[in-house]
Amino acid sequence: MNRKLYCKSPNQAKRKAAATKNKVRGSQSQFPIVHNVTVTEGGTANMTCRVEHNDNTSLQWSNPAQQTLFFGDKKALRDNRIELVRASWQELTISISEVTLQDEGLYTCSLFTMPIKTAKAYLTVLEGRIHKGVPEMPEIDGLTKPVKEGDHVTLTCITSGSKPAAEIRWFRNEKEIKGAKEVNASGKTFTVKSSVQLQVDRDDDGVAYTCRVDHVALALSPQQATEVLEVHYAPRVEITHSAVHPQEGDYLKLECVSKGNPSPDPVLWTKDGSELPDIDRMIVEGRELTITSLNKTDNGTYRCEASNHLGTSSAEYVLYVYDVPTTMPPSSAPPTQSTNSDTTACLDTHANKPAATGIVRDPNALEQRGPDHALIGGVVAVVVFVTLCLIIVLGRYLARHKGTYLTNEAKGADDAPDADTAIINADGNHAHAEEKKEYFI
């Protein structure tokens, strides 16, 4: 009997070799892969169908009644509970929310090759979820996509069937935010609502707002719902440049950095209010403007303008092409000293544009000599001011000390033969004596 079990006839060996060959061939071909799903009544079931090797062949999900739910990313059955999660050539995933007992059954994923290949997954629905006071899957209402910058939006998260009342928490990305809670009794269970109010700006674009339901019956797996904001806003524009001091012969790249949603492509470049004059050297690629072999004719104001249906924004860049610096030739003559006015003129000329002769002047050296002249001028002004003040004070002093007096000689000088006689006669002729004036300095 053992010999019969282990001995193989030539026909059996051929059949086994053929089966092995078919198995290897099947593993290398296209075939859908699915998995059975179990969900509690009122929950959400995700049905996933994958293909490891697909040559751009469509995938399809069908319900137990053989009604097509999704063909690729196209919805075929009008059921608001059924939504598309992901659709590609290698995967088709759909979700069925608020699952009921009627949703239980065999679901089919079909791969439309020749011939069509199918795989079946069984959806099992567990009873009694709502009647045990477990909250239902939350839903977020109040969001219409897209929203505009500056709009006021109120997001409301609702969950029903909880006993005791569930708690709802809000998160902006990973950061928790506060919401306004409202609890309503519906029979023996509770319906809980929580709302957050937002004034949307461009920083909210792509931000995920999540409401999470916490309950004693969901200690290990809290339920949550998420909405991602799509914010439309007018563009903002700035221009970046590749060179700080562009010189003749160089190339210059200007980039128009514009941020807006929808994306404000393409952008418009102009020069001095008109179209670009030399399209052979002024090359526009996307948002970049490249000017090759710069020369003086390229001087001007370049403007970048971006717009979408919400508005227009622009930025300007003033281009001045500098001369190529050259080395000053050696000279035997001593350098000429410039006056203050010449130095100032040289500084002003260098600040606005390079010298026409191509000689490179060092503005730092000129600025270092400037303070010496200013110091000398200040000292001279102070000296002149002090001298004037001294003259005025001295004049006022002399004016106050001017006086008149009579000397003894003058009192009797007219009739006296000598000075002694004049002094003696002066005592009696004081009233008739001639007045003599002397000044003390």
Side-chain angles (χ1 to χ4, degrees):
M1 182 175 180
N2 292 336
R3 290 182 180 178
K4 292 182 180 180
L5 290 175
Y6 289 99
C7 293
K8 299 179 181 178
S9 64
N11 293 333
Q12 289 176 335
K14 290 180 181 180
R15 285 195 297 269
K16 183 177 180 180
T20 303
K21 184 177 180 181
N22 292 333
K23 182 178 180 180
V24 173
R25 183 183 301 172
S27 63
Q28 296 176 349
S29 62
Q30 306 172 22
F31 201 85
I33 302 173
V34 297
H35 298 281
N36 295 333
V37 177
T38 300
V39 65
T40 309
E41 183 181 10
T44 299
N46 289 329
M47 311 292 294
T48 300
C49 179
R50 291 188 177 89
V51 179
E52 294 182 358
H53 306 285
N54 192 354
D55 56 354
N56 299 342
T57 304
S58 298
L59 292 169
Q60 172 185 291
W61 268 114
S62 303
N63 63 10
Q66 294 305 310
Q67 296 173 316
T68 301
L69 303 180
F70 270 90
F71 182 81
D73 59 353
K74 306 298 183 182
K75 188 174 183 178
L77 184 65
R78 293 186 177 181
D79 189 340
N80 295 331
R81 300 177 307 125
I82 304 175
E83 297 292 341
L84 178 65
V85 176
R86 187 178 296 103
S88 66
W89 296 117
Q90 286 76 32
E91 179 181 348
L92 178 60
T93 301
I94 64 174
S95 67
I96 306 173
S97 59
E98 298 178 8
V99 174
T100 64
L101 296 176
Q102 287 74 25
D103 295 322
E104 186 175 273
L106 205 59
Y107 288 75
T108 304
C109 175
S110 302
L111 177 64
F112 283 80
T113 57
M114 292 299 291
I116 297 176
K117 297 182 176 64
T118 60
K120 298 183 181 295
Y122 197 90
L123 174 62
T124 303
V125 180
L126 303 179
E127 299 182 30
R129 176 182 178 84
I130 297 178
H131 303 291
K132 291 182 180 180
V134 180
E136 297 180 4
M137 180 66 66
E139 295 181 356
I140 298 178
D141 296 332
L143 180 61
T144 302
K145 297 182 180 181
V147 296
K148 296 181 181 179
E149 184 179 25
D151 287 353
H152 292 270
V153 176
T154 300
L155 300 180
T156 303
C157 180
I158 305 174
T159 181
S160 302
S162 61
K163 184 180 179 180
E167 294 291 335
I168 295 180
R169 300 167 63 188
W170 281 98
F171 294 86
R172 184 183 187 272
N173 288 337
E174 301 298 328
K175 183 178 180 180
E176 186 171 359
I177 59 177
K178 293 183 178 180
K181 181 181 176 181
E182 177 184 346
V183 179
N184 296 315
S186 53
K188 295 182 179 181
T189 60
F190 297 90
T191 298
V192 183
K193 298 181 181 180
S194 181
S195 301
V196 291
Q197 295 183 349
L198 313 170
Q199 183 174 4
V200 180
D201 60 21
R202 62 185 61 208
D203 293 333
D204 288 317
D205 186 36
V207 172
Y209 283 86
T210 301
C211 95
R212 192 174 77 182
V213 177
D214 291 338
H215 193 265
V216 292
L218 302 172
L220 299 178
S221 57
Q223 297 179 351
Q224 63 184 33
T226 301
E227 287 287 353
V228 179
L229 297 188
E230 181 184 355
V231 183
H232 282 189
Y233 50 91
R236 290 179 183 173
V237 175
E238 64 177 349
I239 296 177
T240 60
H241 49 86
S242 61
V244 178
H245 300 292
Q247 299 175 355
E248 286 188 293
D250 292 348
Y251 88 97
L252 177 67
K253 179 181 290 185
L254 303 178
E255 182 178 359
C256 183
V257 181
S258 58
K259 296 180 180 180
N261 191 16
S263 180
D265 290 328
V267 297
L268 177 64
W269 284 98
T270 57
K271 178 192 175 186
D272 296 329
S274 304
E275 295 181 355
L276 300 177
D278 191 347
I279 59 175
D280 293 333
R281 292 188 307 108
M282 300 179 179
I283 304 171
V284 178
E285 294 180 350
R287 300 182 181 184
E288 294 182 351
L289 168 62
T290 302
I291 307 175
T292 60
S293 186
L294 289 172
N295 57 60
K296 293 291 186 179
T297 62
D298 297 326
N299 291 344
T301 301
Y302 291 81
R303 180 185 179 93
C304 164
E305 183 176 290
S307 61
N308 58 20
H309 70 280
L310 295 176
T312 300
S313 178
S314 63
E316 293 182 346
Y317 172 78
V318 178
L319 172 61
Y320 182 83
V321 180
Y322 289 80
D323 293 329
V324 179
T326 59
T327 303
M328 181 183 296
S331 175
S332 59
T336 304
Q337 297 294 334
S338 60
T339 62
N340 290 342
S341 59
D342 294 338
T343 302
T344 305
C346 181
L347 283 172
D348 293 340
T349 303
H350 188 275
N352 291 303
K353 61 181 181 179
T357 59
I359 299 176
V360 179
R361 295 180 174 87
D362 186 2
N364 295 326
L366 294 175
E367 292 174 359
Q368 292 173 1
R369 292 198 298 267
D372 296 338
H373 296 287
L375 180 61
I376 294 173
V379 172
V380 172
V382 171
V383 172
V384 172
F385 177 78
V386 172
T387 303
L388 291 176
C389 291
L390 291 176
I391 293 174
I392 294 172
V393 171
L394 184 59
R396 292 177 61 86
Y397 177 82
L398 293 177
R400 289 189 178 187
H401 288 77
K402 182 180 72 175
T404 303
Y405 69 96
L406 296 175
T407 64
N408 291 329
E409 293 86 353
K411 294 180 181 179
D414 292 337
D415 299 328
D418 51 27
D420 294 336
T421 304
I423 293 175
I424 296 172
N425 292 337
D427 295 335
N429 298 324
H430 178 74
H432 304 284
E434 182 181 355
E435 294 181 352
K436 298 287 185 173
K437 298 181 180 179
E438 292 184 4
Y439 300 91
F440 293 92
I441 297 177

